């Protein structure tokens, strides 16, 4: 029986359950083929090479983003050296973006699966002719249309991760309840990588997956969809089911949430169903920058949605992008300072605008000669921090270094504010306003005044004061 080793090459630092690889693994398992799973966040290159070598596998399949892709190339080269005859397959966003150039970047790769891999990998293992398998790209084939429309989403089994070491991925279960993105934000490659058509699993299928993992003991769930709330009725029906079924001990997080999809009604339903956290892409507080990003929503819409979510007590995380053309230092500072407005914004994730292959901004950056070396389009990490390989021809570099102290200061501020808010809740102070909370945070960050504040809080706790 043919065997394949699947490698999660998404280098995210802290291990995060690779949902996409899980779907591919489940398709292989349901088709009756043998496989094993490796993860670059859990194992060294040497350990992975040894696993592949010991398994005598026929195939190795690796998924990769563009960031740190060269490290995955090094791993695949080591595998080829150890097993000269193994067939190496690459998938994931970078494989879609680079297309035929992938074989020049890493000659040890034998083929690429573009788009969704569940059916393609099974057909490959079944021995189907390569030219008959949608999405297969080889060194001698021509790049074709990525075959998202060939895969019926209702036929896909959700992943059960039987060969994944789940205890190493924490106590939160990731659920991807939909695929694709109908928007075309300039900094994002989701439509190219996931498909331009939004396709969602039906409510019954979503409930089945949730209840399966609930039965396995999971109580924290993370929805990783790009557009979780696009179909409001589906979300409301799911939330209603959770409430009416008395799943009172669960906690949900929704990551892919657009502000213009959120209303008081839908946020209230989500709150009732124990959605505690949401993550929104704010990107900028400047409407001109939002237009450049092609967000198709205004800052007023974004701010209104966050205001509603804040008033309902959601824990809110936001994404901000620094470095749009013509963005000034003052523009960026206004975006950096935005979390000061709402007490329940607990985290700001800052990203430097980077020309990642497969995004509209990549084409813009090349057209406007913002980059001269394509290798800089592989950022070292997807979000957070800096990409030092960007050169000084990119306008973002003119302000990024000067903004780092403000970004660091805001990160420390939010960390302290979160701690103070939790402490006040323990003391029974539930409704403190954002202005007072910000003042307490500033005081606590002052080493001289914080001694007095901490003593006062301890005294209030001892006396049972509220």
């Amino acid at each position: 029986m043919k065997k394949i080793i699947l490698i999660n090459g998404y280098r995210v630092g802290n291990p995060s359950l690779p949902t996409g690889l899980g779907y591919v693994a489940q398709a292989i398992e349901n088709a009756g083929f043998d496989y094993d799973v490796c993860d670059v966040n859990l194992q060294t290159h040497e350990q992975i090479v040894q696993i592949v070598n010991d398994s005598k596998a026929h195939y190795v399949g690796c998924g990769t983003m563009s960031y740190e892709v060269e490290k995955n190339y090094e791993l695949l080269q080591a595998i080829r050296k150890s097993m000269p005859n193994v067939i190496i397959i690459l998938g994931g966003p970078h494989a879609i973006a680079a297309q035929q150039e992938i074989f020049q970047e890493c000659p040890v790769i034998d083929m690429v699966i573009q788009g969704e891999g569940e059916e393609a990998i099974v057909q490959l293992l079944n021995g189907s002719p390569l030219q008959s398998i949608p999405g297969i790209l080889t060194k001698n084939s021509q790049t074709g249309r990525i075959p998202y429309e060939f895969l019926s989403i209702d036929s896909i089994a959700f992943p059960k991760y039987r060969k994944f070491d789940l205890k190493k991925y924490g106590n939160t279960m990731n659920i991807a309840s939909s695929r694709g993105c109908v928007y075309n934000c300039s900094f994002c490659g989701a439509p190219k990588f996931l498909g331009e058509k939004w396709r969602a699993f039906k409510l019954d299928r979503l409930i089945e997956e949730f209840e399966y993992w609930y039965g396995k003991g999971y109580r924290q769930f993370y929805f990783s969809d790009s557009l979780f709330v696009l179909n409001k009725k589906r979300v409301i029906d799911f939330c209603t089911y959770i409430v009416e079924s008395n799943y009172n001990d669960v906690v949900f997080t929704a990551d892919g949430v657009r502000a213009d999809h959120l209303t008081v009604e839908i946020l209230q339903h989500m709150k009732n169903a124990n959605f505690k956290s949401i993550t929104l892409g704010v990107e900028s507080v400047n409407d001109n920058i939002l237009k450049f990003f092609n967000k198709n929503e205004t800052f007023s819409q974004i701010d209104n949605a966050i205001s509603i979510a804040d008033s309902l007590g959601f824990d809110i995380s936001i994404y901000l992008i620094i470095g749009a053309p013509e963005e000034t230092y003052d523009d960026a500072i206004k975006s950096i300072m935005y979390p000061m407005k709402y007490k329940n914004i607990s985290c700001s994730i800052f990203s430097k605008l980077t020309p990642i292959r497969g995004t509209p901004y990549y084409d813009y950056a090349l057209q406007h000669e913002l980059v001269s070396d394509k290798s800089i389009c592989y950022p070292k990490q997807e979000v957070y921090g800096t990409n030092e390989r960007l050169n000084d021809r990119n306008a973002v570099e003119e302000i990024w270094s000067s903004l780092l102290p403000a970004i660091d200061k805001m990160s420390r501020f939010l960390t302290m504010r979160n701690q103070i808010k939790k402490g006040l809740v323990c003391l029974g102070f539930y409704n403190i306003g954002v202005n007072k909370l910000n003042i307490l945070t500033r005081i606590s960050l002052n080493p001289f005044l914080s001694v007095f504040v901490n003593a006062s809080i301890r005294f209030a706790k001892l006396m049972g004061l509220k």
Side-chain angles (χ1 to χ4, degrees):
M1 177 184 294
K2 293 180 181 178
K3 182 173 183 177
I4 183 170
I5 302 296
L6 300 175
I7 302 173
N8 175 34
Y10 293 9
R11 297 173 185 271
V12 294
N14 294 326
S16 177
L17 192 60
T19 308
L21 199 70
Y23 271 97
V24 173
Q26 193 62 48
I28 293 170
E29 182 176 312
N30 290 351
F33 292 100
D34 192 15
Y35 71 97
D36 275 317
V37 177
C38 297
D39 192 326
V40 296
N41 302 290
L42 299 173
Q43 296 152 313
T44 66
H45 284 193
E46 291 75 15
Q47 290 172 327
I48 294 174
V49 171
Q50 189 63 51
I51 291 170
V52 174
N53 193 57
D54 292 344
S55 72
K56 307 301 181 185
H58 299 80
Y59 299 92
V60 168
C62 180
T64 184
M65 302 285 278
S66 289
Y67 60 97
E68 297 196 323
V69 68
E70 65 272 19
K71 290 187 177 180
N72 286 337
Y73 289 164
E74 292 171 4
L75 171 59
L76 297 179
Q77 289 164 359
I79 290 172
R80 170 67 75 214
K81 185 176 181 180
S82 177
M83 294 188 68
N85 296 322
V86 71
I87 297 175
I88 296 176
I89 309 163
L90 198 71
H94 185 70
I96 296 171
Q99 298 189 3
Q100 198 69 36
E101 291 182 19
I102 206 84
F103 302 110
Q104 300 174 21
E105 294 179 2
C106 185
V108 303
I109 296 171
D110 294 298
M111 63 185 71
V112 166
I113 293 181
Q114 297 186 300
E116 295 154 318
E118 291 94 337
E119 290 188 0
I121 196 69
V122 170
Q123 290 183 40
L124 180 65
L125 294 173
N126 273 323
S128 299
L130 294 182
Q131 63 271 20
S132 70
I133 304 175
I136 289 287
L137 186 64
T138 66
K139 296 177 181 179
N140 299 319
S141 63
Q142 295 182 350
T143 300
R145 184 178 180 184
I146 301 170
Y148 297 108
E149 67 275 10
F150 289 102
L151 186 59
S152 171
I153 196 167
D154 293 323
S155 68
I156 305 172
F158 66 83
K160 297 181 176 63
Y161 303 107
R162 290 196 177 93
K163 292 198 174 183
F164 293 73
D165 193 350
L166 288 178
K167 64 180 180 293
K168 293 184 178 179
Y169 292 100
N171 59 357
T172 299
M173 178 50 59
N174 293 359
I175 295 180
S177 72
S178 63
R179 296 183 181 183
C181 184
V182 300
Y183 297 94
N184 193 32
C185 300
S186 62
F187 54 82
C188 180
K192 186 177 184 69
F193 304 146
L194 303 174
E196 297 177 351
K197 182 180 179 180
W198 187 76
R199 297 165 298 151
F201 294 109
K202 293 179 180 178
L203 179 63
D204 290 346
R205 159 67 165 71
L206 173 56
I207 292 172
E208 179 189 2
E209 183 173 1
F210 159 73
E211 291 188 327
Y212 175 86
W213 291 112
Y214 185 90
K216 295 290 185 181
Y218 282 87
R219 295 297 181 267
Q220 297 186 49
F221 296 87
Y222 173 85
F223 285 96
S224 59
D225 308 41
S226 293
L227 298 173
F228 177 67
V229 194
L230 184 61
N231 185 329
K232 296 178 178 60
K233 183 179 184 303
R234 186 182 76 120
V235 175
I236 290 174
D237 288 346
F238 176 75
C239 292
T240 300
Y241 179 84
I242 295 297
V243 173
E244 292 179 349
S245 302
N246 294 316
Y247 285 113
N248 301 318
D249 57 345
V250 297
V251 174
F252 295 107
T253 295
D255 184 20
V257 177
R258 274 182 64 98
D260 57 351
H261 295 164
L262 299 177
T263 63
V264 174
E265 179 191 19
I266 199 164
L267 283 169
Q268 188 64 67
H269 276 282
M270 292 173 68
K271 188 68 177 177
N272 293 343
N274 287 327
F275 276 82
K276 300 294 186 183
S277 305
I278 58 174
T279 303
L280 298 96
V282 174
E283 326 310 355
S284 174
V285 303
N286 185 303
D287 277 325
N288 289 329
I289 293 173
L290 293 178
K291 287 179 181 178
F292 174 79
F293 288 154
N294 199 31
K295 284 280 289 183
N296 284 309
E297 59 183 353
T298 65
F299 175 66
S300 177
Q301 290 175 300
I302 295 171
D303 186 60
N304 181 64
I306 291 178
S307 176
I308 297 169
D310 182 76
S311 68
L312 291 173
F314 281 92
D315 183 78
I316 304 166
S317 296
I318 63 172
Y319 288 102
L320 293 167
I321 299 177
I322 305 297
E326 300 183 7
E327 182 178 36
T328 66
Y329 178 89
D330 289 340
D331 291 333
I333 286 293
K334 289 177 182 178
S335 293
I336 292 170
M337 297 299 292
Y338 178 64
M340 299 287 289
K341 186 175 180 179
Y342 298 106
K343 68 178 183 180
N344 289 313
I345 295 181
S346 62
C347 178
S348 288
I349 304 168
F350 297 96
S351 178
K352 182 194 293 187
L353 182 60
T354 303
I356 302 173
R357 189 179 296 191
T359 66
Y361 180 64
Y362 175 82
D363 298 328
Y364 176 94
L366 294 183
Q367 180 183 353
H368 290 79
E369 299 183 343
L370 296 179
V371 297
S372 57
D373 181 359
K374 289 186 178 181
S375 68
I376 69 170
C377 302
Y378 304 153
K380 290 184 178 179
Q381 50 191 37
E382 185 177 20
V383 292
Y384 308 102
T386 63
N387 173 15
E388 294 177 355
R389 282 177 293 177
L390 282 170
N391 62 33
D392 58 9
R393 296 181 69 190
N394 192 328
V396 65
E397 294 298 335
E398 298 176 7
I399 59 173
W400 181 258
S401 60
S402 60
L403 288 169
L404 286 177
I407 292 173
D408 179 67
K409 185 176 180 179
M410 177 54 65
S411 297
R412 288 186 287 111
F413 182 90
L414 292 179
T415 299
M416 177 60 72
R417 191 172 73 174
N418 294 339
Q419 293 173 359
I420 292 173
K421 188 169 67 171
K422 289 179 181 178
L424 291 172
V425 168
C426 290
L427 292 173
F429 294 94
Y430 297 100
N431 297 315
I432 186 169
V434 65
N435 291 330
K436 291 181 180 178
L437 186 58
N438 288 341
I439 291 172
L440 286 174
T441 304
R442 291 191 182 98
I443 292 173
S444 297
L445 289 171
N446 185 308
F448 300 103
L449 295 176
S450 63
V451 175
F452 172 76
V453 172
N454 290 334
S456 299
I457 292 176
R458 285 196 296 270
F459 177 76
K461 189 173 183 179
L462 287 172
M463 298 299 294
L465 299 177
K466 294 186 179 181

